[in-house]
Amino acid sequence: MNWDDMRVFLAVARAESLSAAAPLLKMDPATVGRRITRLEETVGAPLFVKSPQGYALTEQGLRMRDHAAQAETALSLAMDEGQAVDKGLSGQVRIGAPDGCANFLLPQVCAAIQAENPGLEVQILALPRVVNLSKREADMAITVSPPDAGRLTVQKISDYRLHLAMRQDSGLPRTMADLHGVPVVGYIPDMIFDKELDYLGTLSRDGVQMASNSVAVQLQMLRHGGVGIVHDFALPCAPELTRVLMNELSLLRSFYLVRHLSDRKSDRLNRFAEALLAGMRAEIARLEAQAA
């Protein structure tokens, strides 16, 4: 048995299907299936229950997964020890984030970190849901609510601000009553995956006329008309929009950096997280000042 077999096993265990694990392993699903069969023959016991719904771990597979995950962490720490600090960061780091952060903050922050560490590969995973770190969908995640369960570490990154925004040439309101009849732009109500994203409150009492599960799409909608809640840090990307009724509605939210507890001893990920926190705090401050 070799580590590569364990790598394939862990990928299938986390993805719960051959087709989902194959891209992560850079293999085709048939090859992944053959590797799992070979591993089960080596172990002498079935590790998965196969069904049309996917691959579910057997009791033997569950025990094996826990030990394999510990070995994976140990190997990662060994690689960290082998990297001299003065050589900079290298390898792959994947960050999961809500799409507002992924679109308007992370590209420039991560580009700056990568420019200082040419051996580093940064991947940004933008999802309209919470990233599952236990399945290793990412090395770390940015969230708008701190998780209250799981073997995770949480660091507050920064507060950020949101306001109502409209096109500057649309006849700006003086009171909330002036918004009657103006199309509302916001999230698809049944796809709001975090209570902190439920911004609109009474503004949406008559429904949301233009909706998307993507903050970036909502911003593009507002550029064509309507009113909606916008991150201040996104406004510099849409100069035709302006904040309105700031004394009537002003929201404060926070970003958190969430990591798997087993990664707390990883010098490489700790150094990346430190650079990420500093970069995001500086970028939020810069863009919010520009929006003001």
Side-chain angles (χ1 to χ4, degrees):
M1 191 180 297
N2 57 52
W3 172 248
D4 202 46
D5 291 332
M6 289 293 100
R7 185 174 67 90
V8 173
F9 165 73
L10 281 173
V12 175
R14 289 164 177 159
E16 298 180 345
S17 78
L18 301 182
S19 58
L24 304 174
L25 296 166
K26 298 180 180 179
M27 300 175 181
D28 60 83
T31 300
V32 177
R34 287 193 295 271
R35 295 288 294 274
I36 291 297
T37 298
R38 186 178 74 182
L39 179 61
E40 289 180 327
E41 291 172 351
T42 302
V43 173
L47 301 175
F48 295 94
V49 177
K50 293 90 170 177
S51 73
Q53 287 71 44
Y55 274 46
L57 287 166
T58 62
E59 287 297 322
Q60 176 78 9
L62 286 169
R63 292 192 295 271
M64 194 169 189
R65 180 199 60 187
D66 295 339
H67 290 299
Q70 292 173 15
E72 180 184 53
T73 299
L75 281 173
S76 177
L77 292 173
M79 290 299 294
D80 285 352
E81 291 294 333
Q83 289 184 354
V85 173
D86 59 359
K87 290 183 179 179
L89 296 169
S90 63
Q92 182 189 99
V93 177
R94 179 180 292 179
I95 312 163
D99 80 311
C101 176
N103 274 282
F104 302 110
L105 292 172
L106 285 182
Q108 58 269 38
V109 171
C110 291
I113 297 172
Q114 199 283 328
E116 295 182 355
N117 301 274
L120 183 66
E121 177 189 342
V122 183
Q123 297 180 349
I124 300 172
L125 182 64
L127 292 175
R129 60 173 175 80
V130 177
V131 174
N132 193 326
L133 292 181
S134 65
K135 291 188 176 182
R136 293 292 178 174
E137 288 186 333
D139 296 295
M140 54 189 70
I142 295 169
T143 67
V144 292
S145 292
D148 55 9
R151 293 175 53 79
L152 304 167
T153 62
V154 182
Q155 291 175 273
K156 182 176 178 179
I157 301 174
S158 174
D159 293 329
Y160 62 94
R161 291 165 178 78
L162 308 97
H163 292 91
L164 286 170
M166 301 176 66
R167 285 186 60 91
Q168 298 186 47
D169 59 5
S170 60
L172 302 182
R174 295 181 180 178
T175 68
M176 293 292 285
D178 294 336
L179 295 176
H180 181 70
V182 177
V184 174
V185 175
Y187 277 102
I188 299 171
D190 61 354
M191 297 188 73
I192 297 175
F193 64 90
D194 191 296
K195 67 182 188 302
E196 297 296 336
L197 302 180
D198 194 4
Y199 303 135
L200 293 174
T202 57
L203 190 65
S204 62
R205 63 182 178 273
D206 296 324
V208 179
Q209 287 71 48
M210 296 288 287
S212 173
N213 64 338
S214 165
V215 168
V217 174
Q218 291 173 32
L219 189 73
Q220 295 302 320
M221 289 175 171
L222 285 169
R223 298 176 83 169
H224 295 278
V227 63
I229 301 289
V230 176
H231 301 74
D232 282 16
F233 61 68
L235 281 170
C237 292
E240 63 270 72
L241 300 181
T242 187
R243 297 180 294 182
V244 298
L245 302 176
M246 293 178 61
N247 292 330
E248 300 276 345
L249 195 154
S250 180
L251 301 177
L252 186 70
R253 295 291 189 270
S254 303
F255 283 131
Y256 299 88
L257 183 65
V258 184
R259 296 172 55 192
H260 202 280
L261 186 63
S262 62
D263 291 338
R264 68 191 185 281
K265 295 182 180 179
S266 171
D267 180 67
R268 183 177 72 95
L269 291 178
N270 288 341
R271 288 159 56 202
F272 181 88
E274 183 179 349
L276 183 69
L277 264 65
M280 283 192 62
R281 288 165 180 162
E283 189 65 1
I284 290 171
R286 183 185 75 84
L287 292 173
E288 288 192 344
Q290 190 174 335

